[in-house]
């Protein structure tokens, strides 16, 4: 079945440093979504990318969708302590028909040293 | 707009018991999905409902079941609890598709002793 892999599993940075997490799917994705889960919290939807090569920005966060629609990345510029949490990528199966579910990567836990 | 509401927030059960978890989606959202989250396995899809019909089911044993009511509220049930069922159970709602822009509830933390 479809697998979504994320690296790194953990990342610790000093406040002000940049951070990047990478997501790779075993199959082509119709879209890629990113979620953030704060410690003790629940996943919160950040963004959805649909087009091949798409780049979207949200303040200090930059999201990219690969040309082959099998990989994606999230880059945070000048991290802040409020960025702490686990970042998940997720995509729907590309098996056609009605597959109303998401396959999540295992996430990247970001910790920030103030 | 109120978010996704899950009850109860915490549950402690013993092996062999059964449990029912409840989820109220965002008003107007007709799709409700359930996920199990554990430190080792991450977020695992359980099932998705739309208009009281289960459209997708994940790879979980038949002890895991769910349903959706006409007002889109959903419940999931786990029977004959096992120690390995200890997890955070998350409900997520979306407008219609169940595979995009999910809004998660705070979850039910289930501990099986």
């Amino acid at each position: 079945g479809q697998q979504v892999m994320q690296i790194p599993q953990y990342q610790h940075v000093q406040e002000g440093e940049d951070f990047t997490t990478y997501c790779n799917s075993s199959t082509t994705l119709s879209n890629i979504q990113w979620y953030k889960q704060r410690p003790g919290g629940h996943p919160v939807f950040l963004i959805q990318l649909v087009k091949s090569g798409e780049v979207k920005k949200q303040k200090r966060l930059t999201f990219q969708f690969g040309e082959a629609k099998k990989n994606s990345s999230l880059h945070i510029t000048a991290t802040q302590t409020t960025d702490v949490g686990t970042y998940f990528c997720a995509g729907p199966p590309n098996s056609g028909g009605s597959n109303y579910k998401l396959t999540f990567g295992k996430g990247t836990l970001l910790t920030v040293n103030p | 707009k109120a978010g996704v509401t899950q009850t109860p927030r915490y549950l402690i059960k013993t092996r062999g018991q059964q449990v029912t978890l409840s989820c109220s989606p965002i008003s107007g959202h007709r799709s409700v999905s359930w996920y199990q989250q554990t430190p080792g396995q991450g977020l695992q899809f359980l099932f998705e409902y739309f208009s009281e019909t289960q459209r997708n089911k994940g790879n979980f044993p038949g002890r895991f079941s769910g349903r959706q009511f006409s007002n889109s509220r959903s419940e999931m049930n786990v029977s004959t609890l096992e120690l390995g069922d200890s997890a955070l159970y998350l409900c997520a709602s979306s407008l219609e598709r169940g595979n995009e822009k999910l809004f998660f509830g705070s979850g039910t933390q289930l501990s099986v002793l």
Side-chain angles (χ1 to χ4, degrees):
Chain A
Q2 178 194 40
Q3 292 184 37
V4 177
M5 294 143 286
Q6 274 186 262
I7 55 170
Q9 193 175 356
Y10 308 97
Q11 184 78 59
H12 178 75
V13 300
Q14 289 291 128
E15 191 172 21
E17 291 182 338
D18 292 356
F19 159 77
T20 304
T21 174
Y22 300 92
C23 176
N24 287 285
S25 170
S26 58
T27 60
T28 304
L29 298 168
S30 57
N31 69 78
I32 188 82
Q33 297 164 50
W34 286 90
Y35 294 78
K36 176 185 178 182
Q37 184 173 22
R38 288 199 162 98
H42 56 275
V44 174
F45 173 79
L46 293 177
I47 204 162
Q48 176 176 305
L49 305 172
V50 179
K51 298 177 184 176
S52 169
E54 189 170 11
V55 178
K56 285 189 175 180
K57 291 191 175 185
Q58 288 181 350
K59 296 182 180 178
R60 295 177 295 103
L61 278 61
T62 302
F63 304 84
Q64 292 188 329
F65 199 9
E67 294 291 340
K69 301 184 76 172
K70 293 181 73 173
N71 62 289
S72 180
S73 65
L74 158 60
H75 179 82
I76 302 178
T77 304
T79 54
Q80 300 176 358
T81 54
T82 53
D83 296 325
V84 165
T86 301
Y87 293 84
F88 296 95
C89 63
N94 196 32
S95 56
S98 53
N99 255 318
Y100 301 103
K101 64 178 183 180
L102 285 177
T103 299
F104 281 81
K106 293 209 170 172
T108 296
L109 172 61
L110 171 65
T111 55
V112 180
N113 197 29
Chain B
K1 229 182 202 183
V4 178
T5 304
Q6 286 189 250
T7 56
R9 186 71 180 89
Y10 301 96
L11 264 179
I12 299 176
K13 293 286 187 179
T14 56
R15 278 183 303 172
Q17 288 187 310
Q18 76 164 16
V19 66
T20 299
L21 314 181
S22 180
C23 172
S24 293
I26 291 172
S27 177
H29 284 195
R30 298 168 65 191
S31 167
V32 174
S33 303
W34 290 88
Y35 287 81
Q36 181 196 65
Q37 186 174 31
T38 59
Q41 296 299 316
L43 282 151
Q44 300 285 309
F45 172 78
L46 281 157
F47 24 67
E48 187 262 359
Y49 289 89
F50 179 85
S51 289
E52 303 178 66
T53 300
Q54 184 184 89
R55 294 194 294 193
N56 266 122
K57 190 178 193 311
N59 295 325
F60 280 82
R63 300 185 296 106
F64 292 80
S65 63
R67 58 177 175 168
Q68 186 182 34
F69 303 95
S70 58
N71 61 357
S72 294
R73 193 177 70 83
S74 177
E75 289 181 347
M76 70 163 279
N77 184 277
V78 187
S79 62
T80 320
L81 284 166
E82 301 178 359
L83 296 178
D85 297 333
S86 295
L88 179 65
Y89 290 88
L90 291 161
C91 166
S93 75
S94 63
L95 277 171
E96 289 194 356
R97 295 186 58 79
N99 60 5
E100 52 186 43
K101 297 182 185 178
L102 301 187
F103 290 83
F104 285 86
S106 298
T108 295
Q109 184 67 55
L110 173 64
S111 298
V112 183
L113 307 177

